[in-house]
Amino acid sequence: MKVEFYKHNLTQADKESCLKALEGYILTTGHIVQEFETQFAAYMKAPYAVGTSSCTNSMIMCLRYFGIGPGDEVITSPMSFLATSNAIEHVGAKPVYVDAEANTANIDANLLEAAITERTKAIIPIHLFGQLCDMKAIKSIADRHRLKIIEDACHSIEGSRDGIRTGELGDAACFSFYTTKNMTSGEGGAIICKEVDMHQWLLKCRIHGVTKNAADRYGKKYEHYDMTFLGYKFNMNNIQASLLLNQIDRLEDYRNQKEAIAQSYDQGFQNNPNIQIPAVLPNVHHARHIYTIWVDPQKRDEYLLAIQSKGVGVAINYRPTHLMTYYKEKYGYQPNSFPIAEKIGASTITLPLYPQLTQAEVEHVIHSVNLCIG
Ligand SMILES: *Cc1c(COP(=O)(O)O)cnc(C)c1O
């Protein structure tokens, strides 16, 4: 049996919505993107949403909006996809790391304050695997030190913790609609934010900083456009938005299906003393983006290959960013700089988790994993 690591959930309705978009004249950013933004903001209970080309680019724009650049420091976790740190690097600021919590792998809010310096301007917490960070604690520290919070919400559209939703306490939250995410258009992203000025700025920033885009100009009497600041080309297009629109309504249903699969996995591994599972804290509504197991770091790669040879798609989320050659060389990190993130990075194996997994496939994954990790 072969169990794919991931299958997207695009339906006939999504494909028809995409065909309809292709029949329109505006394939770039237009009314479908606007419709997506309205619906996404409503789902997130956020004042504003902006469609973009990726989460990485969304984070770059948010950092730029907050005036963060060379000489500034931004606190984040090394236990993330390297895109989080890359966004900080791209604006010329320095990523400063805080180690992970051993039980959840999220940034350890208890260590945060010690990492703050005069140069610190913002915190980028990542809601790893779909479980929210301790946003109440992070928010109170950020307020005390006048820091901005930009949430890397790639793993959690649907999540909440202690009654706090994704994006509720942050100044902005950034999302990805990359191929493997809970909602996808192949590539794409979004930002939710609270300030009207930020919203207006982002709408321009994603399209070079110009005052009118093609859709604004279409069908109207010609008017010159102007450029008021140096923006990027980070806009979402109508084709992407057409694929995303209907997925918003299915998010919760998919999450519930993934929750059931995650619980089957939990049960299937609970009697295996060589498998540890990240804790799900009380009062957490888990967005269930990634299901990962933690095993003996000495044997992880051997186990990974053995599981793969049983036809089960696997991944690693994540080898910590500070040990990537670029970061190691630029900032001189040595092993043991962030021991918990390093241990998690060396222990982790991600298993398939998506609504289309059949009962038989879930059983095959459980059986294969237990067989390989004896
Ligand atoms: C996928 C991912 C990103 C990057 O998203 P893109 O849309 O590909 O830029 C950043 N952070 C995390 C935690 C991710 O999982």
Side-chain angles (χ1 to χ4, degrees):
M1 185 184 266
K2 172 130 180 59
V3 185
E4 295 292 340
F5 178 68
Y6 180 81
K7 284 182 189 167
H8 68 66
N9 303 295
L10 296 177
T11 61
Q12 196 55 35
D14 296 326
K15 291 171 194 167
E16 279 160 19
S17 160
C18 188
L19 272 177
K20 210 172 124 206
L22 291 173
E23 280 159 11
Y25 292 121
I26 307 278
L27 300 182
T28 180
T29 312
H31 73 282
I32 311 178
V33 172
Q34 244 171 33
E35 201 178 322
F36 165 73
E37 289 167 341
T38 304
Q39 288 194 24
F40 191 64
Y43 178 85
M44 297 307 302
K45 299 189 167 67
Y48 306 105
V50 176
T52 68
S53 51
S54 72
C55 174
T56 311
N57 294 343
S58 300
M59 292 189 287
I60 290 173
M61 289 195 284
C62 290
L63 288 162
R64 288 291 304 273
Y65 178 73
F66 294 127
I68 295 167
D72 295 331
E73 294 177 356
V74 177
I75 295 178
T76 190
S77 170
M79 182 41 58
S80 179
F81 182 51
L82 45 80
T84 318
S85 294
N86 285 3
I88 301 167
E89 283 285 306
H90 273 300
V91 302
K94 177 185 177 186
V96 170
Y97 297 117
V98 165
D99 208 352
E101 295 172 335
N103 59 343
T104 66
N106 270 331
I107 193 166
D108 190 338
N110 293 319
L111 303 179
L112 233 165
E113 210 142 21
I116 296 172
T117 72
E118 281 171 3
R119 295 167 173 240
T120 310
K121 293 285 159 38
I123 306 170
I124 306 187
I126 303 106
H127 306 309
L128 210 67
F129 311 137
Q131 172 160 244
L132 251 70
C133 298
D134 188 350
M135 289 308 297
K136 284 186 174 170
I138 293 171
K139 173 73 173 153
S140 84
I141 295 167
D143 284 348
R144 212 153 47 237
H145 296 269
R146 295 168 173 270
L147 306 178
K148 298 293 181 188
I149 300 175
I150 302 165
E151 297 175 41
D152 178 336
C154 286
H155 294 192
S156 174
I157 304 172
E158 314 91 323
S160 65
R161 171 173 173 173
D162 306 324
I164 304 294
R165 296 181 312 277
T166 301
E168 188 172 340
L169 298 185
D171 296 280
C174 299
F175 300 84
S176 172
F177 307 123
Y178 174 71
T179 303
T180 55
K181 310 293 188 194
N182 282 7
M183 182 161 99
T184 185
S185 48
E187 298 282 354
I191 302 166
I192 57 170
C193 68
K194 295 173 173 157
E195 285 175 35
V196 59
D197 289 353
M198 180 170 189
H199 179 230
Q200 291 301 313
W201 187 89
L202 288 169
L203 289 176
K204 291 188 190 128
C205 184
R206 71 174 173 188
I207 177 88
H208 296 300
V210 299
T211 47
K212 288 182 175 60
N213 68 28
D216 295 337
R217 301 196 309 268
Y218 177 74
K220 299 194 184 126
K221 195 169 137 234
Y222 185 86
E223 278 177 41
H224 293 299
Y225 53 81
D226 191 15
M227 183 187 123
T228 50
F229 65 95
L230 183 62
Y232 296 98
K233 189 61 172 42
F234 287 167
N235 53 313
M236 173 183 279
N237 65 48
N238 271 353
I239 305 169
Q240 292 167 312
S242 74
L243 286 169
L244 293 167
L245 263 181
N246 301 305
Q247 291 181 60
I248 299 173
D249 300 331
R250 305 201 301 271
L251 277 171
E252 202 51 37
D253 181 40
Y254 284 163
R255 195 217 71 88
N256 293 339
Q257 293 179 50
K258 292 205 281 186
E259 179 67 43
I261 295 165
Q263 294 197 4
S264 298
Y265 282 158
D266 284 353
Q267 274 170 23
F269 304 137
Q270 72 183 357
N271 294 324
N272 188 326
N274 300 312
I275 296 176
Q276 210 198 327
I277 288 155
V280 177
L281 301 176
N283 302 320
V284 164
H285 184 68
H286 198 300
R288 289 296 181 194
H289 176 51
I290 280 173
Y291 190 92
T292 185
I293 58 172
W294 292 338
V295 301
D296 180 352
Q298 303 297 324
K299 296 196 185 139
R300 192 271 308 277
D301 289 357
E302 180 192 317
Y303 289 154
L304 181 84
L305 293 172
I307 295 166
Q308 202 179 27
S309 76
K310 302 279 177 212
V312 176
V314 288
I316 302 262
N317 302 96
Y318 296 97
R319 287 160 58 236
T321 306
H322 69 283
L323 295 184
M324 295 288 147
T325 302
Y326 171 87
Y327 288 98
K328 214 164 61 180
E329 288 180 351
K330 180 163 182 180
Y331 296 109
Y333 290 117
Q334 300 296 323
N336 230 19
S337 303
F338 303 98
I340 295 174
E342 288 170 36
K343 172 147 189 256
I344 292 167
S347 315
T348 182
I349 301 176
T350 300
L351 301 176
L353 180 65
Y354 48 90
Q356 290 180 45
L357 279 173
T358 64
Q359 189 64 33
E361 287 175 323
V362 170
E363 281 164 19
H364 180 71
V365 173
I366 293 169
H367 179 73
S368 305
V369 168
N370 282 326
L371 206 67
C372 297
I373 306 174

